[in-house]
Amino acid sequence: MKTLYEIRGFPPAIRLLLVNQFGVNTGFYLLIPYLATHLGEGLGMSAAVVGIVLGVRTLSQQGLFLIGGSAADRLGARGVIIAGCAVRTAGFALFALGDGLAVLLAASVLSGLAGALFNPAVRTYLAQEAGERRAEVFALFNVFATTGALVGPLLGSVLLLVDFRASALTAAGIFALLTVAQALVLPARAVPPSPGGVLADWREVAGNRAFLAFSLAMVGMVTLENQLYLLLPDGVRRATGWDGAAGLVFLVGTLAHLALQMRLTRALKPYGVRAVGAGLALMGLAFLPPMLVAGAAPRVWHAVPVLAGVLLLYVGVMVAQPFVMELVPRFGRPELTGTYFGIFYMVSGVAAAVGNTVVGRAMDAGEQGGAAWLPWACCLVCGLASAGGVTWLRRLGALPGGPVPVEATV
């Protein structure tokens, strides 16, 4: 419970955005995980059409992160956050109100565009508001986001007992409330003038080779974190023979974040950038315990090594992610914080898509070839390679700052 009291030490704007992220993830996860089933079984659409609808949503979000980040820099993060939540309200409401392909595609575009707007904008606002306490703020941000990712699917499964439309309207209602709350409470920040145009901003960030190298090195973090929704739930189901075991993945994550996130961030703050490489290495090593029972006959106790891997993966994320979020704005001018976050998340989105494809194919190949260990080994290599890449950049002096002096944390 101590973690929950941490928010009292931050300004009201930060507290609102932390609660906002809980609401964002609750609304998102009570709807999106069940969308494919609704389209396929509820509306009778073919797998190809379902893939198009889901792909349009993902492409709209990942491909427009740069637009959202630049908008936060040029127009102010507050307005972009509010606009993003309003757009997602409309998108999720369309999922409830329309069954035609054109309406569903429009809903997908709107819901994806919304994420592209408020994701970089929220992080920009937090980075600007938190000052020297960015790592702690982003650590708390993780706690609220993970808790929302647990509550959302649970609430969605209950609402589905009514029907899918109830889930979609509830999700839209959550985002509508968030929109109003931010419009009423979130203070506006002055937007410093930026010389040149948007294209000049993009060229400046794209010309920052150290930042691009860091973004590419962080591909492992995004890819492995996405396995919380692909490989690990599948692994625990196969290991135990129980479909409901997949829910334990998110339960472990939420409890771990509540108990450990702030303690880890405070303890590692003196090490700064070094914590990123250590966290990535832990994320890679997290796939070793599940590998021990991959392909074995289902047993209840086989859940232990898989959930041990889940816990280790979450610990790795808790170690690395706050310092990654703290580091991104430090690569360039404060006026371009949103653009840096936008490009970072655009690279991350591509990485997640490619990484999930590779892991998915490894899962198929492992199953067909009697090599159930293959996807786990791929993830292990990916994590260790990313850890090595970040460590190499740090030793080259390519990363801004470095370890924060111990005196600065007192």
Side-chain angles (χ1 to χ4, degrees):
M1 294 297 294
K2 184 179 179 181
T3 299
L4 299 179
Y5 290 109
E6 294 288 338
I7 65 173
R8 293 184 177 180
F10 292 100
I14 288 180
R15 282 182 272 173
L16 174 62
L17 290 177
L18 293 175
V19 175
N20 174 78
Q21 192 59 30
F22 170 78
V24 164
N25 275 18
T26 298
F28 181 85
Y29 286 106
L30 77 82
L31 175 70
I32 295 300
Y34 307 106
L35 180 57
T37 301
H38 168 67
L39 296 176
E41 298 180 7
L43 301 182
M45 293 183 171
S46 67
V49 174
V50 172
I52 290 173
V53 174
L54 297 179
V56 164
R57 192 208 68 79
T58 302
L59 182 62
S60 299
Q61 179 162 318
Q62 309 299 352
L64 296 176
F65 270 132
L66 181 55
I67 303 298
S70 292
D73 288 335
R74 294 280 171 165
L75 305 176
R78 176 183 180 272
V80 179
I81 294 168
I82 295 170
C85 284
V87 170
R88 182 155 284 180
T89 301
F92 281 4
L94 275 181
F95 277 126
L97 302 176
D99 294 339
L101 181 58
V103 174
L104 292 171
L105 288 174
S108 293
V109 170
L110 289 175
S111 61
L113 171 61
L117 289 174
F118 63 66
N119 276 332
V122 166
R123 286 155 180 81
T124 299
Y125 199 110
L126 288 174
Q128 293 170 342
E129 190 78 14
E132 295 300 316
R133 301 188 67 190
R134 285 176 182 166
E136 291 94 330
V137 165
F138 283 115
L140 280 170
F141 190 79
N142 284 350
V143 173
F144 280 81
T146 304
T147 306
L150 173 67
V151 172
L154 295 176
L155 180 57
S157 64
V158 173
L159 289 169
L160 282 176
L161 297 176
V162 181
D163 62 13
F164 178 81
R165 295 179 195 280
S167 295
L169 289 175
T170 301
I174 290 173
F175 278 96
L177 289 174
L178 294 176
T179 304
V180 173
Q182 290 164 106
L184 294 176
V185 180
L186 193 63
R189 294 179 56 92
V191 182
S194 183
V198 173
L199 291 179
D201 293 347
W202 294 355
R203 283 194 295 268
E204 180 178 336
V205 178
N208 190 329
R209 295 181 180 179
F211 170 69
L212 294 182
F214 175 73
S215 298
L216 291 173
M218 293 309 301
V219 161
M221 185 181 80
V222 181
T223 299
L224 299 189
E225 195 172 3
N226 267 265
Q227 301 320 304
L228 291 167
Y229 309 100
L230 177 64
L231 181 58
L232 285 161
D234 181 75
V236 75
R237 281 193 296 262
R238 291 176 180 271
T240 62
W242 175 41
D243 287 342
L248 297 175
V249 171
F250 304 105
L251 179 61
V252 167
T254 301
L255 295 177
H257 271 82
L258 289 171
L260 300 174
Q261 178 68 85
M262 294 307 298
R263 290 183 174 89
L264 287 171
T265 301
R266 282 204 203 90
L268 294 170
K269 189 172 181 179
Y271 301 96
V273 176
R274 295 174 185 263
V276 176
L280 289 168
L282 284 174
M283 291 178 71
L285 293 172
F287 292 86
L288 272 177
M291 196 187 305
L292 299 176
V293 295
R299 296 286 188 275
V300 173
W301 66 267
H302 285 172
V304 174
V306 180
L307 293 178
V310 169
L311 178 59
L312 192 57
L313 179 60
Y314 272 112
V315 170
V317 172
M318 287 187 280
V319 168
Q321 199 170 68
F323 299 102
V324 172
M325 295 295 99
E326 178 191 43
L327 196 59
V328 168
R330 292 165 61 192
F331 277 96
R333 295 186 286 121
E335 296 83 2
L336 294 183
T337 296
T339 305
Y340 274 95
F341 273 119
I343 288 184
F344 180 82
Y345 275 99
M346 190 168 65
V347 172
S348 298
V350 173
V354 173
N356 278 347
T357 300
V358 171
V359 173
R361 292 197 174 188
M363 291 168 69
D364 291 338
E367 186 173 3
Q368 295 167 6
W373 52 268
L374 184 60
W376 307 97
C378 288
C379 291
L380 170 64
V381 171
C382 179
L384 295 181
S386 279
V390 170
T391 301
W392 179 64
L393 289 173
R394 180 178 62 79
R395 289 179 177 175
L396 287 178
L399 303 182
V404 179
V406 174
E407 293 84 352
T409 67
V410 176

